[in-house]
Amino acid sequence: MNAGEELPPSEVPITRTLIVAGAIASRDYQDVHHDAELARAKGSPDIFMNILTTNGLVGRYITDHFGPTAVLRRMAIRLGAPNYPGDTMVLTGTIEEVDGDTATVRVVGVNEIGRHVTGTVTVTVPSNNAATTPSNTPSAGPA
């Protein structure tokens, strides 16, 4: 973990199911997150993702990179362009600061119409665990 290090980008297909399931899982029953007709009546072209689903996706992006022992300490995000069904959000990150086993990562998520999310995540990675990615995480099977 070094300041200036860039995390690999991650593409997240934004499906209608992801939007609705995320809203239900976070108990956000606002109609703009599950009813296209009512969303259009309120001026939106379709349903759109809620901030709690975005928050979860940002958290997963960080823990996917730093590994299963990573602990999210703080997340501060702001939404911009909505995520609609059919979009692809691309998450990118840059480590801004490192203090021992704790890093602050600037995260940006963009879709076809602009920046969906921007913010920072503070993550602690125990010193006995190097940053891992799914491709180099040891398997649990026999050696």
Side-chain angles (χ1 to χ4, degrees), residues 31 46 56 74 89 120 125:
D31 51 21
D46 205 338
R74 181 177 185 275
M89 179 174 61
T120 57
V125 183

Side-chain angles (χ1 to χ4, degrees), residues 10-125:
S10 177
E11 290 188 3
V12 181
I14 307 301
T15 65
R16 190 168 300 278
T17 300
L18 175 62
I19 293 170
V20 173
I24 291 170
S26 60
R27 297 182 181 187
D28 183 346
Y29 303 116
Q30 290 189 36
D31 51 21
V32 294
H33 303 308
H34 66 85
D35 188 316
E37 185 177 316
L38 290 174
R40 282 191 286 277
K42 292 181 178 181
S44 179
D46 205 338
I47 63 172
F48 54 91
M49 184 174 284
N50 72 353
I51 191 168
L52 295 171
T53 303
T54 300
N55 200 57
L57 292 170
V58 168
R60 184 184 77 183
Y61 173 64
I62 296 298
T63 58
D64 280 356
H65 176 75
F66 289 102
T69 61
V71 178
L72 301 176
R73 298 292 181 187
R74 181 177 185 275
M75 293 181 68
I77 64 170
R78 172 169 282 186
L79 294 184
N83 269 339
Y84 295 114
D87 287 344
T88 298
M89 179 174 61
V90 179
L91 290 165
T92 57
T94 304
I95 298 175
E96 290 188 325
E97 183 180 337
V98 177
D99 182 11
D101 60 358
T102 300
T104 301
V105 182
R106 161 88 32 212
V107 177
V108 176
V110 298
N111 61 30
E112 289 78 4
I113 58 175
R115 285 187 175 192
H116 171 69
V117 62
T118 56
T120 57
V121 179
T122 302
V123 59
T124 298
V125 183

